[in-house]
Amino acid sequence: MAADTAVAASPEETLESLLREAEALKQKLEEERQKLNDVALSCVAERLEQINFPNLKLRRALKGHQAKVLCSDWSPDKRHIVSSSQDGKVIIWDAFTATKEHTISMPSTWVMACAYAPSGNMVAAGGLDNKVTVFPLGGGSDEEPASRKRTVATHTSYMSACLFPNTDRQILTGGGDGTCALWDVESGQLLQSFQAHAADVMALDLAPTDMGDTFVSGGCDRAVLVWDMRSGHAVQAFDTHLSDVNSVRYHPSGDSLASGSDDSCCRLFDLRADREVARYWKESVIFGVNSVEWSVSGRLLFAGYSDYTACAWDALREARVCVLCGHEHRVSRVQLSPDGTALSTASWDTTLRVWA
């Protein structure tokens, strides 16, 4: 009889107890992680030789945009660069001669993302038009790329990032609607949607494996998420940044990844340890990181800042080894050429620069 008269817990009380339990489990997990975190990466690196950083010099300045350059990408041929700008133009450059080969007008200003296809025969771009448009290049045709364009992907908000996942047949996009999506280039069909970010997705990068079945995204919810492309689910999450994550890059080994954020800090996350293992920052650097990029060896991490500079960090010693000056506005993109012999920087000062 007493059992019948017992008062059932209200939904609020049940939820409260579950939240308490989840918090206790989180705390326990963090304690176990800290036990495994026996030595810092920089302490291990002290036993290594210091590297002599190559003296990078400005080799080319690419001038032709009328407004902020927002994104750029190297062609697989190691010679051409595609750039997109606030002026609504996408330009294909010959980086050797610093000349424009094609200028493509987009349907809106603020073309926030552009990418070369792995074959080098196609570029994709998009931005405030909420779409990704692909433009075939070459192919023996005299037609301008713009006349053969094809709209492939549509988000419900601006398109902030795009890349081809090791094939010309598919494209991966991220948008201001907080989602990432995989699309078929030929049909424009949505193949997979990736939803877990609580705010705008700002950056994407593909794992450096031939399989190409995982990628990483960073967003304005301060989160860095690793995704399984086949299942559509996030398999790992890192949330130690204090502000928007603007850039993410897999280490060449594929075992870790770097991120850059508006909190003026770059961080290194180890995928096997499932935790942050290094932080690249200085008290004197108070401006946000807009872009990060690895050297071919993975020893150097390049970063582009809002204080008009790009820096190179020794990834193991967590020490800054070089500062590249010359731009007159924030550096929006840093990217290494496919063979690792040159570094390109794009800036809001309307130019791109090639360093080697």
Side-chain angles (χ1 to χ4, degrees):
M1 187 71 186
D4 295 339
T5 56
V7 180
S10 70
E12 287 83 4
E13 287 170 341
T14 309
L15 183 63
E16 230 171 85
S17 70
L18 287 170
L19 284 170
R20 279 198 301 273
E21 192 180 335
E23 203 54 50
L25 286 169
K26 263 189 194 172
Q27 192 65 36
K28 201 172 175 185
L29 194 62
E30 193 53 46
E31 284 167 12
E32 291 300 318
R33 273 187 183 164
Q34 288 303 327
K35 284 179 196 171
L36 297 171
N37 183 27
D38 54 349
V39 61
L41 183 66
S42 54
C43 295
V44 178
E46 280 172 10
R47 298 196 291 265
L48 299 172
E49 280 183 47
Q50 274 195 312
I51 50 171
N52 292 319
F53 186 76
N55 188 16
L56 285 180
K57 288 190 170 70
L58 178 64
R59 305 296 178 182
R60 296 284 184 275
L62 311 181
K63 299 177 181 179
H65 281 294
Q66 303 300 312
K68 301 166 183 173
V69 182
L70 305 174
C71 188
S72 65
D73 192 29
W74 280 92
S75 166
D77 70 7
K78 314 177 193 77
R79 175 166 185 154
H80 292 88
I81 296 175
V82 61
S83 63
S84 63
S85 166
Q86 183 196 6
D87 62 10
K89 300 283 194 295
V90 172
I91 297 178
I92 311 287
W93 304 87
D94 183 331
F96 287 6
T97 60
T99 55
K100 289 191 269 189
E101 290 202 350
H102 297 288
T103 301
I104 303 166
S105 292
M106 295 291 286
S108 76
T109 56
W110 286 88
V111 187
M112 299 173 73
C114 60
Y116 255 105
S119 67
N121 296 327
M122 192 189 302
V123 292
L128 284 192
D129 57 353
N130 300 3
K131 296 175 185 150
V132 177
T133 309
V134 295
F135 302 91
L137 304 171
S141 171
D142 293 332
E143 289 179 275
E144 277 296 304
S147 64
R148 293 178 288 150
K149 69 180 181 183
R150 191 192 303 113
T151 299
V152 172
T154 307
H155 280 267
T156 56
S157 183
Y158 66 90
M159 211 280 297
S160 56
C162 65
L163 58 83
F164 290 87
N166 297 329
T167 171
D168 285 23
R169 294 195 294 273
Q170 295 176 350
I171 191 163
L172 185 66
T173 61
D177 53 11
T179 68
C180 307
L182 183 67
W183 309 82
D184 181 89
V185 169
E186 195 62 43
S187 66
Q189 183 183 350
L190 176 65
L191 301 175
Q192 185 70 270
S193 183
F194 307 91
Q195 301 180 17
H197 278 288
D200 312 20
V201 175
M202 298 306 290
L204 299 169
D205 193 37
L206 194 70
T209 57
D210 294 332
M211 296 297 289
D213 54 6
T214 59
F215 72 94
V216 61
S217 64
C220 293
D221 54 358
R222 311 195 309 275
V224 174
L225 301 180
V226 179
W227 301 85
D228 184 323
M229 216 178 271
R230 293 161 299 188
S231 70
H233 295 133
V235 292
Q236 265 180 296
F238 304 99
D239 59 355
T240 57
H241 275 295
L242 306 176
S243 190
D244 301 4
V245 177
N246 296 319
S247 184
V248 285
R249 262 293 184 269
Y250 270 99
H251 188 272
S253 68
D255 295 328
S256 58
L257 55 91
S259 59
S261 163
D262 278 344
D263 62 12
S264 71
C265 185
C266 302
R267 295 169 197 252
L268 178 66
F269 300 103
D270 189 310
L271 298 174
R272 294 163 300 182
D274 193 34
R275 62 182 303 280
E276 179 188 317
V277 291
R279 201 173 289 187
Y280 311 102
W281 68 287
K282 284 173 82 76
E283 279 188 18
S284 58
V285 178
I286 57 171
F287 290 88
V289 183
N290 303 308
S291 180
V292 291
E293 173 71 305
W294 288 103
S295 64
V296 172
S297 67
R299 180 70 191 266
L300 294 173
L301 179 68
F302 297 99
Y305 291 83
S306 293
D307 65 358
Y308 312 175
T309 66
C311 297
W313 296 85
D314 182 332
L316 296 178
R317 289 174 172 268
E318 299 177 33
R320 191 169 68 178
V321 292
C322 174
V323 180
L324 300 177
C325 302
H327 280 295
E328 294 166 13
H329 211 313
R330 75 162 64 179
V331 177
S332 53
R333 178 86 158 170
V334 289
Q335 199 186 19
L336 207 65
S337 63
D339 59 359
T341 57
L343 182 78
S344 70
T345 55
S347 168
W348 280 19
D349 66 7
T350 76
T351 70
L352 294 99
R353 290 168 190 248
V354 180
W355 314 76

